[in-house]
């Protein structure tokens, strides 16, 4: 495919990924609302359709990550093939480690099998474990590292506006620092609530730019 085609596919996929991710988060949040495991299981049982839709959306998110891995690699490989390959690998790892189909379906099975009467210690313990599996995933960290690499290559090659590229580097690097700390419980509160806003401010304009303008040829470096 041409660079312009890859850029358009990447731009559409960015917007699709964001829309699917937000929808999935909202639906799963509604399905798992409640105080205590028993209440959550009862709510999941009542909103089983939401959970099933979330599973399908999770698969779409995984495929979106893979599409972005390939298209961004194709766009940036002429600037630095090794770094672009590392970015591709991180985005592929993001797509693979971010799929929680088995744990989500297991949670749904527990909820629908026991409903509001799910009061056994084993059921509660297993349900709590499944509910927290998403928070323990390294998928977001792989995303952040891959995004940092691709943003840097886009900046170094002057393939998109410099200000937008610098915003991408900053937003991605911010996540690279905070996400591992959040994973091990050393970061919480307002900083983890707002750390995704710079990334949203980067990816939406980037997606529109890729769809409308595409990408410029990377800056060539000639030996002296």
């Amino acid at each position: 495919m041409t660079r312009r085609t890859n850029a358009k596919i990447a731009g559409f996929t960015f917007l699709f990924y964001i829309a699917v991710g937000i929808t999935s988060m909202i639906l799963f949040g509604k399905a798992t609302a409640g105080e205590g495991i028993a209440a959550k299981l009862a709510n999941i049982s009542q909103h089983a359709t939401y959970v099933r839709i979330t599973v399908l959306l999770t698969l779409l998110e995984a495929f979106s990550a893979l599409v972005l891995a390939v298209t961004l690699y194709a766009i940036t490989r002429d600037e630095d093939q090794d770094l672009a390959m590392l970015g591709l690998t991180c985005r592929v790892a993001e797509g693979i480690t971010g799929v929680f189909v088995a744990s989500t379906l297991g949670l749904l099975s527990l909820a629908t099998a026991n409903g509001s009467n799910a009061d056994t210690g084993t059921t509660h313990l297993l349900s709590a474990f499944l509910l927290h599996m998403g928070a323990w995933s390294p998928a977001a960290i792989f995303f952040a590292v891959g995004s940092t690499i691709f943003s840097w290559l886009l900046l170094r090659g002057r393939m998109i506006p410099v200000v937008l590229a610098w915003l991408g580097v900053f937003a991605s690097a911010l996540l690279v620092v905070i996400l591992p700390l959040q994973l091990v419980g050393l970061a919480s509160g307002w900083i983890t609530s707002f750390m995704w806003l710079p990334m949203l401010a980067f990816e939406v304009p980037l997606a529109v730019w890729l769809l409308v303008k595409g990408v410029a040829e990377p800056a060539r470096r000639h030996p002296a």
Side-chain angles (χ1 to χ4, degrees):
M1 292 187 293
T2 65
R3 288 172 57 80
R4 183 163 183 81
T5 299
N6 277 307
K8 285 184 174 294
I9 293 174
F12 171 81
T13 306
F14 270 120
L15 295 176
F16 181 77
Y17 198 167
I18 292 169
V20 169
I22 292 175
T23 303
S24 176
M25 198 163 43
I26 292 173
L27 291 179
F28 193 71
K30 288 183 177 180
T32 57
E35 292 294 331
I37 295 299
K40 290 180 184 295
L41 288 174
N43 198 43
I44 291 171
S45 179
Q46 294 171 6
H47 297 88
T49 301
Y50 284 1
V51 179
R52 293 188 176 96
I53 293 175
T54 299
V55 170
L56 296 177
L57 294 178
T58 300
L59 292 174
L60 291 176
E61 287 183 80
F63 281 110
S64 296
L66 298 180
V67 171
L68 285 173
V70 174
T71 53
L72 292 175
Y73 169 78
I75 291 170
T76 58
R77 64 184 173 186
D78 289 338
E79 181 63 25
D80 189 314
Q81 188 169 11
D82 294 334
L83 277 179
M85 179 60 72
L86 180 58
L88 177 146
T89 304
C90 288
R91 296 305 301 254
V92 169
E94 168 203 343
I96 294 173
T97 59
V99 178
F100 289 98
V101 173
S103 60
T104 304
L105 290 176
L107 187 63
L108 178 61
S109 177
L110 287 172
T112 53
N114 296 280
S116 59
N117 295 320
D119 55 359
T120 65
T122 302
T123 299
H124 286 188
L125 185 62
L126 182 56
S127 299
F129 173 76
L130 293 176
L131 279 169
H132 282 89
M133 279 192 70
W136 297 332
S137 167
I141 299 175
F142 285 122
F143 158 78
V145 174
S147 181
T148 302
I149 294 171
F150 283 130
S151 296
W152 171 248
L153 291 176
L154 291 171
L155 171 65
R156 199 173 76 173
R158 299 298 190 268
M159 301 177 214
I160 60 174
V162 173
V163 174
L164 183 59
W166 270 118
L167 176 59
V169 172
F170 167 76
S172 304
L174 180 68
L175 293 176
V176 170
V177 173
I178 298 177
L179 284 171
L181 298 178
Q182 183 187 31
L183 184 65
V184 297
L186 296 178
S188 60
W190 67 269
I191 192 170
T192 58
S193 300
F194 292 100
M195 64 182 177
W196 289 99
L197 292 182
M199 180 58 67
L200 185 63
F202 163 64
E203 286 196 340
V204 173
L206 173 64
V208 175
W209 183 272
L210 293 176
L211 282 169
V212 177
K213 297 289 188 178
V215 288
E217 289 293 328
R220 302 294 181 182
R221 289 168 172 78
H222 300 287

